[in-house]
Structure formats: C-alpha cells, structure tokens
Amino acid sequence: MVMKVYSPEFKADAVALYLSDPSHTFEGIGKDLGISRETLRNWVRAERARRGGGSTTSTEKSTVDSPPMAEELQAENEALRRELAAARKEMQKLATERDILRKATKFFTRDDLVTSRFQFVEDHHRAWGVKRLCQVLEVARSSFYKWRAGRAARAAREQADVALAERIRAVHAEWDGTYGRPRITADLREDGERVNHKRVGRVMRKYGIAGLRLRKRQVTTVPEPSAAAMPDLLGRDFTASAPNTRYVGDITYLPVGDGEFLYLATVIDCFSRRLVGWSVADHMRTSLVTDALRAAARTRGSLAGAAFHSDHGAQYRSRDFASVCAELEVKQSMGAVGTSADNALAESFNATLKRETLRGARRFDGARACRLAVFRWATRYNTRRRHSANGQQAPIAYEQRSATLKFAA
C-alpha cells in the first residue's frame, strides 16, 4: 500500500467541510472523502492551531479544541503503524522483484525466451515460490506446470536427437560432407529409419551439420561468330520421356597445381541426369568434346536420333564436332549466346562436381589427384549419389527402375 499525498487545497476543503456543520463527525466526513478519521482530526487540529484560537461555537470547541483522549491517540498511532507496515511490505515486494529480474537477465537473452523463463522458475522456485516468479516474469503458472510435466518427454526427444545426429554424421562423412538434408533423409529412409526431412534439417542445424555450398561460377564459353547457327531443340526443357533421347554437355575448368588447369567435357542424359560420357584433358581443343561424345556412344551402344544440347563454345561449333555428330547420327542443339540458363542442367552439374570434389579448396593437389577425384566422384554420382530430379534415386537406379516399370506395364 502506497501512502497518499493530499494537496493543501484538498486539506483546507476537508477541514472547511467538517466545520461547516456541528453535526459532522470525523468518521462520517472521512468516509465521504476517502481518508481516515485520524487524518482528518489532525488536519482540523492543525487548522485550529494556525488560527490561534479564534471564535467558535461551543459545539466546535467541545469537538475541536478539546484535548484528544488517550484512546484516540492510541488509535491514531495504530493507524500510522499500519500504514508504515504496508509501505514497508510494498518496498520489500519491489526489492524482491528487482532481485528476481536482476538474476533473470541472462535468461532473457536466449533464443527460446519462454522456455528460458520456465527454466528460471524451475531453478529458483524454492527461494521465491512459483507464484511470485511467474507473476514477475509474466508467464502463466499453468504453462509452467505443463512445461515441467513434459521434462521426461523432452529428455527422450533429446536422446533420440543425439542418436539421429550420429547417423546423420555417418551419412554426411560417407559423402565427404557434401550431402544436405534431402539426400541424407533419403539415405536414412532407405536404411529403415522412419524420419521426416524437417526433423533431419532441425537436427542438422542443432548440431552444426551442413552440406557443402559454394556458389562461384567461372565462364569458359568462347563463341565462334563465323560458325553456322544451330537450332535450340530443348528450349530450356531439360526433361526427357525416355533415356538416350536428350543430352546436354559443357566444358568446365579444373584448377590444379600452381596456376594450371585440366578441362572436363561432359555428356549428361536429361532423363536420369546420368553422366553417360566424359573426357578430361589439359587442353580445350575439339578432341576434348568429341572424346566425351564418343564415350557416351560406347556407353549407350548408339546415340542415333538423340539430341545433344550445348552452349556456343568454339569446340561445339567446329566442323570436326559437327562431323562426329553426323557420324553418330546426333542432332545438334544450342541455346542463345552468353545465356547460361539455356544450358542450366550442364552448368548445375559442373558446379556440383567441383563443389563436392574440391570441398572448399582452391585447387586440386595435382593432375593425377584431379583425374582420380573426378573418376571417383563421377562413378559414385551415377551409381550411388541421390538426385532430387529422380526422387532421390541415383541415375542408374532410376533408369533401371523406369525400365522395370515399363516392362511390367
């Protein structure tokens, strides 16, 4: 309870109201004005002393000038003691709340603010009580008790998350830290783990597990203005209804040693994203891309009737490459000049390959290490690495499953 402060005008009006009628009593006027009778009595006594005795009626003298009785003084003292005790109690309450908030400051800086407050109540309820702590921290007691009742379930979930994190780390390490949430989820499900991709993502964030993300692009396309124009047979539609009908290809650089490069040419099937043919060399002559296309022909047995889409690099617009395409009965296709989106599938493949083989390094240790890394990755890519476009199946497995379904139909 806080002591009230009354203005001099209020005190003067209260005294005048009391003295205006001899029938008025301290108790009655005090109730009307919301003050105690002892307080009003003091004001009247002080006003009488200020006037110095002035003329009053006999009734006023008997009421105002008569010395207070011992009982009245005792009642007045008792009222003052109660007011002082209430003020001290309020001050103690405020001091307690200050101490609680001071100790709880560090809990208010955490990410999960409500849970942090509940934990603070749990840690300090013996000192201040649950009710007081919940009032000061502005949380519902029912919510706190519900949170407390769920401790066993939370502990079980935490243990399950720890076990899941270990399995995630195993898959992550098996793929050299390149797999992200979708492929890890698919791997776990294939091994019999019933898990949602959202939970996998949450656990990966919680334990600092992340797939490799590097998004630096290098342009290697060198257009040849004098070459004949080629039609765009894909129109940015990098899908196919069957294998061996649509391919895309590109050249990308592979940094090795000290300022040197190897170059990789690819032939990728749009149906399954399978790397059907590739070639690695220390040059960018036309033989680099013709070797990759011939390798694809050996893998498939024949490329007759298939479309091969590329950018406007000089190698793809050369007479030698056109001659090989005619020999293999491959239809050439090209997008617009300088537009990477027209060959986005091949561009994306190159970025993924370098991201997952270099893993943040600027260069390969040498030409041999580079060739071996590309060979290992390309083989795993076709046989084991999951691809989102295939419903998280590896390219060869996707082709085999599609062939099986078609045969069954």
Side-chain angles (χ1 to χ4, degrees):
M1 174 180 178
V2 180
M3 296 181 65
K4 296 181 179 179
V5 178
Y6 301 96
S7 66
E9 293 80 4
F10 181 87
K11 294 179 181 180
D13 290 342
V15 172
L17 177 63
Y18 171 78
L19 295 176
S20 65
D21 190 333
S23 65
H24 288 166
T25 62
F26 291 123
E27 185 75 22
I29 298 300
K31 286 184 178 179
D32 290 341
L33 300 180
I35 58 178
S36 66
R37 64 180 188 136
E38 289 79 5
T39 299
L40 180 58
R41 189 197 304 277
N42 290 336
W43 292 351
V44 173
R45 186 182 295 121
E47 178 63 19
R48 183 71 186 95
R50 188 185 65 81
R51 292 179 181 180
S55 59
T56 60
T57 64
S58 59
T59 304
E60 288 178 5
K61 287 182 179 180
S62 63
T63 306
V64 179
D65 294 341
S66 59
M69 302 298 289
E71 293 81 359
E72 293 177 346
L73 291 175
Q74 184 177 0
E76 183 177 344
N77 290 336
E78 183 64 27
L80 291 174
R81 281 195 295 270
R82 287 197 298 270
E83 290 182 3
L84 180 60
R88 287 176 175 171
K89 184 177 181 181
E90 183 68 19
M91 290 177 63
Q92 184 179 6
K93 176 184 176 183
L94 293 175
T96 301
E97 292 179 356
R98 178 201 63 199
D99 294 340
I100 292 173
L101 292 174
R102 183 178 295 168
K103 284 196 172 185
T105 300
K106 64 180 180 180
F107 287 81
F108 282 77
T109 61
R110 299 183 182 179
D111 294 335
D112 195 343
L113 190 57
V114 175
T115 301
S116 300
R117 294 183 184 186
F118 288 159
Q119 189 61 55
F120 182 82
V121 175
E122 177 68 16
D123 295 343
H124 298 86
H125 73 278
R126 297 184 184 278
W128 288 304
V130 173
K131 181 178 180 180
R132 170 64 62 81
L133 289 170
C134 288
Q135 288 175 345
V136 174
L137 298 180
E138 298 181 347
V139 295
R141 274 188 292 168
S142 59
S143 299
F144 165 72
Y145 287 123
K146 183 178 180 180
W147 174 85
R148 175 192 274 180
R151 282 183 297 188
R154 287 196 302 276
R157 285 196 298 271
E158 181 65 26
Q159 292 179 354
D161 283 351
V162 171
L164 178 60
E166 290 302 316
R167 292 191 287 274
I168 290 174
R169 286 195 183 97
V171 176
H172 193 251
E174 181 182 359
W175 289 95
D176 302 324
T178 60
Y179 263 19
R181 180 186 67 179
R183 292 183 176 87
I184 289 178
T185 303
D187 249 25
L188 293 174
R189 287 176 176 173
E190 189 173 272
D191 292 340
E193 182 79 28
R194 298 181 62 183
V195 64
N196 184 280
H197 69 94
K198 294 181 180 179
R199 185 184 174 207
V200 171
R202 176 180 61 80
V203 173
M204 290 179 69
R205 289 191 299 271
K206 181 178 180 180
Y207 291 94
I209 307 170
L212 193 60
R213 292 185 178 182
L214 299 173
R215 296 184 178 273
K216 186 175 180 181
R217 180 175 174 270
Q218 181 75 18
V219 177
T220 57
T221 300
V222 181
E224 174 59 56
S226 62
M230 291 291 177
D232 184 353
L233 302 179
L234 270 61
R236 297 190 183 182
D237 178 11
F238 302 109
T239 61
S241 59
N244 200 26
T245 58
R246 284 183 165 191
Y247 292 94
V248 297
D250 194 14
I251 300 174
T252 189
Y253 77 105
L254 303 171
V256 297
D258 186 12
E260 299 176 352
F261 294 94
L262 292 181
Y263 300 93
L264 170 69
T266 56
V267 179
I268 305 165
D269 194 314
C270 292
F271 175 76
S272 61
R273 273 44 174 183
R274 179 179 178 180
L275 180 61
V276 181
W278 76 90
S279 175
V280 178
D282 58 359
H283 60 81
M284 292 181 65
R285 294 189 292 273
T286 304
S287 59
L288 176 69
V289 294
T290 57
D291 287 347
L293 193 63
R294 290 186 183 280
R298 288 193 297 272
T299 300
R300 289 302 195 192
S302 172
L303 297 179
F308 177 79
H309 185 83
S310 68
D311 57 25
H312 283 254
Q315 299 83 357
Y316 293 112
R317 301 188 66 178
S318 66
R319 292 181 179 178
D320 290 344
F321 186 74
S323 176
V324 172
C325 287
E327 175 191 337
L328 299 176
E329 300 181 34
V330 172
K331 295 176 290 185
Q332 281 189 266
S333 170
M334 290 185 181
V337 176
T339 305
S340 61
D342 284 356
N343 201 22
L345 195 159
E347 297 276 359
S348 175
F349 176 89
N350 292 339
T352 300
L353 181 146
K354 286 192 283 188
R355 182 176 64 244
E356 297 187 2
T357 53
L358 285 169
R359 286 177 283 170
R362 297 181 65 87
R363 296 181 173 277
F364 292 98
D365 290 339
R368 176 176 171 77
C370 176
R371 291 176 184 273
L372 291 177
V374 171
F375 172 75
R376 175 177 181 265
W377 186 90
T379 304
R380 281 160 58 95
Y381 171 87
N382 281 334
T383 59
R384 296 185 57 196
R385 188 184 182 279
R386 301 180 185 278
H387 204 296
S388 57
N390 299 339
Q392 299 300 347
Q393 297 182 70
I396 291 180
Y398 182 73
E399 288 185 356
Q400 292 173 345
R401 180 175 180 273
S402 299
T404 301
L405 293 176
K406 183 177 181 180
F407 179 79

